[in-house]
Amino acid sequence: MEHSFKKVYLEITNQCNLNCSFCPKTSREVKYISTEQFDYLIGAVKQYSQYVYLHVMGEPFLHPQLESILNICFENEIKVNITTNGTLLSSVKEVLLNSKSLRKISFSTHCFENDDINKKQYLQNIEQFIKEVYGSFIVELRDWNNSEVSNSLKIAPNVYHSLQNQFQWPDINREETNSKAFCYGLRDQFGVLVDGTVVPCCLDSEGTIALGNLYETPLEEILFSERANSIYEGFSSRRAVEPLCQRCGYAQRFS
């Protein structure tokens, strides 16, 4: 297994302010990471990647210490990518505008299905935000709602419209399985849930494939454990060895 990763997903909260049908939700206890815990996690992962995503489940803009979290990343020379539904943009706008660590913000437009969202105002807020940050960092508009086209369109410098088919999240209770699969989990990425649990990828919403806990075990031991190596070698042979991975619709994109 490689010692460097393109990105690490750090979940700073598993709570969301919306209830979208696309999202699988989580039955885990609602938690918010403390700045002390986040500082510890950054110290543990920064030798493996220069980029973190503040997301697995949950809405990162809900975190009351978002500014401190972004500052910790800047102090550790870590670039930050955020995936958000964007409905709370106005409440954190100044924090984002003043951040020195932000690399990319992806707005997930699945929230359009919620009737209580003022869609016109929502789009106007994002449009105004793009104008204010223009050129400072990347902005992506994600439209992953059963699109017939799979493409990323550059609509302006550092502004992209991502079109993807809606996929099936991995579900351990799904009857249908497929062991023929490839995934970039533990190859390009791994995730850390809000309680410190390390998982192979950003789609393990329940921590089903819990490789270890960063507050209890050094990351080196977790990433190069027998189970982690089995997952990595399995995908190298285009084979999913974990039951959850055999039930993942996203992995089939690469098969």
Side-chain angles (χ1 to χ4, degrees), residues 6-243:
K6 289 184 178 180
K7 52 196 172 185
V8 178
Y9 290 85
L10 296 183
E11 183 183 71
I12 60 176
T13 179
N14 58 349
Q15 185 173 36
C16 188
N17 61 316
L18 298 180
N19 185 28
C20 303
S21 62
F22 171 74
C23 179
K25 319 299 183 295
T26 178
S27 61
R28 292 182 282 127
E29 178 186 357
V30 171
K31 288 182 178 294
Y32 285 77
I33 199 169
S34 70
T35 53
E36 293 78 15
Q37 289 172 323
F38 186 80
D39 188 46
Y40 174 82
L41 294 184
I42 284 293
V45 306
K46 68 179 183 180
Q47 62 178 310
Y48 293 96
S49 183
Q50 296 178 311
Y51 303 97
V52 298
Y53 280 72
L54 302 184
H55 180 73
V56 176
M57 299 299 291
E59 169 51 55
F61 287 174
L62 278 174
H63 202 292
Q65 278 83 47
L66 180 61
E67 183 174 12
S68 296
I69 285 172
L70 292 173
N71 287 339
I72 289 171
C73 291
F74 175 71
E75 292 164 1
N76 285 273
E77 299 181 335
I78 297 291
K79 290 295 183 181
V80 177
N81 305 278
I82 295 178
T83 300
T84 173
N85 59 46
T87 58
L88 303 175
L89 179 59
S90 59
S91 66
V92 297
K93 183 177 177 179
E94 292 306 314
V95 170
L96 302 175
L97 291 175
N98 293 322
S99 174
K100 297 179 180 179
S101 59
L102 267 180
R103 172 184 174 268
K104 179 180 179 182
I105 293 184
S106 297
F107 292 100
S108 178
T109 59
H110 299 108
C111 63
F112 260 39
E113 70 180 50
N114 290 270
D115 294 332
D116 56 344
I117 291 177
N118 184 323
K119 297 175 176 59
K120 181 178 180 180
Q121 186 63 55
Y122 173 84
L123 291 174
Q124 286 178 342
N125 288 344
I126 292 179
E127 181 181 9
Q128 180 60 34
F129 179 75
I130 291 175
K131 291 178 180 178
E132 293 186 49
V133 304
Y134 191 68
S136 298
F137 48 80
I138 301 169
V139 176
E140 177 191 42
L141 302 175
R142 285 187 177 181
D143 182 7
W144 292 5
N145 292 301
N146 294 310
S147 171
E148 296 181 359
V149 180
S150 179
N151 201 357
S152 180
L153 306 176
K154 185 176 182 179
I155 56 181
N158 283 339
V159 182
Y160 297 87
H161 186 195
S162 176
L163 300 168
Q164 294 285 346
N165 294 320
Q166 192 174 110
F167 62 88
Q168 280 191 315
W169 285 72
D171 184 353
I172 195 65
N173 296 313
R174 186 178 298 138
E175 292 186 7
E176 183 181 355
T177 64
N178 190 345
S179 61
K180 294 181 180 180
F182 177 79
C183 179
Y184 289 96
L186 295 177
R187 190 173 303 270
D188 283 359
Q189 60 165 284
F190 64 90
V192 184
L193 303 184
V194 68
D195 66 352
T197 298
V198 178
V199 292
C201 81
C202 62
L203 297 181
D204 190 351
S205 61
E206 293 294 337
T208 302
I209 310 175
L211 300 175
N213 192 290
L214 256 181
Y215 298 127
E216 302 168 359
T217 307
L219 186 55
E220 181 85 8
E221 291 184 26
I222 295 173
L223 292 177
F224 299 97
S225 65
E226 182 178 348
R227 187 179 187 184
N229 279 316
S230 176
I231 294 170
Y232 181 91
E233 294 301 331
F235 284 131
S236 295
S237 301
R238 299 302 190 269
R239 180 172 56 89
V241 300
E242 290 282 342

